[in-house]
């Protein structure tokens, strides 16, 4: 069955794991989980428990699986209502990570995806946890995401084609994305502009641009990740170039 999929990978995750101690990793991983929950909660919160404010994910129709450096959100069907909720979640998560927490790249895709999940603990305490997610949509989203050459997210043409006869595409996507020439490591032949998820709302004056640029750069440099490599600088430059498209 066709579903909408938001597939995200963290950039520099291996170095993040290898170059930090377990105490620091636990704290930073909790930040990632916080951002996933905030995105799923869409700004709604539960009553504080033990002094901690928790996102309210009780009413979300969006599924989520996080495995190591990959976060996958997906819908239960391919309705326009499901896509809208997925875009709300993906847009929030994308902006929070790129601007403030950890460089990511993402793809919003429409195709088949299924999951088998279960957890068993035997009599001696060993765990068997089955979490298999599969489908052409997942594979194709991964392939396209791996080719992205920036920290940001793109809406694939499969999404556009699936909603073209249901809504005004430009008006529907306007709150979430804008047309942009998305950078790839290996450019696709004859690929024009695609819809890229917004990083900010509205436009940036020079001061706001410089402050936002500084924040994005810090996400690349933080967590003892390698910054001097030419590929990292290229990805950052492409990300900042997209940010420049918001300047007044």
């Amino acid at each position: 069955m066709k579903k909408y999929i938001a597939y995200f990978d963290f950039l520099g995750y291996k170095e993040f794991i290898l170059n930090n101690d377990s105490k620091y990793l636990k704290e930073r991983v909790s930040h990632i989980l916080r951002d996933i929950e905030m995105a799923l909660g869409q700004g709604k919160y539960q009553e504080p428990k033990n002094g901690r404010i928790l996102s309210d994910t009780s009413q979300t129709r969006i599924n989520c699986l996080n495995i190591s450096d990959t976060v996958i959100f997906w819908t239960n069907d391919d309705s326009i209502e499901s896509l809208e909720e997925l875009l709300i979640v993906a847009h929030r998560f994308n902006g929070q990570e790129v601007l403030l927490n950890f460089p990511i790249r993402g793809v919003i895709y429409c195709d088949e995806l299924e999951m088998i999940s279960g957890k068993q603990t035997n009599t001696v305490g060993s765990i068997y946890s089955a979490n298999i997610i599969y489908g052409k949509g997942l594979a194709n989203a991964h392939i396209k995401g791996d080719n992205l050459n920036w920290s940001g997210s793109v809406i694939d043409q499969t999404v556009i084609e699936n909603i073209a006869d249901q809504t005004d595409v430009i008006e529907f996507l306007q709150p979430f994305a804008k047309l942009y020439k998305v950078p790839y490591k290996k450019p696709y032949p004859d690929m024009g502009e695609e819809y890229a998820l917004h990083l900010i709302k509205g436009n940036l004056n020079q001061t706001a641009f410089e402050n936002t640029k500084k924040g994005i750069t810090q996400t690349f440099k933080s967590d003892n990740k390698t910054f001097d490599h030419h590929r990292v600088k290229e990805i950052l430059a492409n990300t900042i170039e997209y940010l420049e498209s918001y300047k007044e």
Side-chain angles (χ1 to χ4, degrees), residues 37-56:
E37 292 171 10
M38 287 176 62
L40 288 169
Q42 302 173 45
K44 300 174 184 176
Y45 296 93
Q46 302 175 4
E47 289 293 324
K49 296 180 180 179
N50 299 320
R52 182 187 174 203
I53 298 175
L54 301 174
S55 293
D56 183 0

Side-chain angles (χ1 to χ4, degrees), residues 225-244:
K225 299 189 296 290
T226 299
F227 182 72
D228 291 333
H229 195 278
H230 75 277
R231 279 284 300 122
V232 178
K233 291 186 175 181
E234 181 181 19
I235 293 170
L236 174 59
N238 288 339
T239 307
I240 299 303
E241 186 174 344
Y242 179 52
L243 183 68
E244 288 177 345

Side-chain angles (χ1 to χ4, degrees), residues 204-229:
L204 298 169
N205 60 31
Q206 187 61 36
T207 300
F209 169 76
E210 293 297 336
N211 289 336
T212 308
K213 175 182 176 180
K214 187 182 299 183
I216 293 175
T217 302
Q218 186 57 39
T219 68
F220 276 78
K221 290 184 174 182
S222 63
D223 301 318
N224 294 316
K225 299 189 296 290
T226 299
F227 182 72
D228 291 333
H229 195 278

Side-chain angles (χ1 to χ4, degrees), residues 74-165:
W74 74 96
T75 62
N76 292 318
D77 56 41
D78 67 341
S79 69
I80 195 78
E81 294 80 12
S82 292
L83 174 59
E84 184 174 19
E85 183 169 356
L86 180 73
L87 287 172
I88 292 170
V89 170
H91 175 263
R92 185 178 187 124
F93 183 68
N94 178 76
Q96 180 71 20
E97 301 313 290
V98 174
L99 296 175
L100 299 172
N101 192 23
F102 210 110
I104 59 170
R105 58 190 177 194
V107 175
I108 316 298
Y109 208 90
C110 180
D111 208 334
E112 296 174 353
L113 182 146
E114 301 295 339
M115 181 180 183
I116 298 173
S117 179
K119 182 178 178 180
Q120 301 175 18
T121 302
N122 67 15
T123 55
V124 295
S126 296
I127 296 171
Y128 170 56
S129 181
N131 286 289
I132 297 177
I133 188 168
Y134 62 94
K136 289 183 174 64
L138 179 66
N140 288 324
H142 167 74
I143 291 168
K144 183 163 186 169
D146 191 54
N147 195 24
L148 286 169
N149 202 25
W150 70 347
S151 180
S153 299
V154 61
I155 299 176
D156 187 73
Q157 186 63 24
T158 53
V159 175
I160 310 302
E161 292 171 353
N162 208 56
I163 64 173
D165 62 350

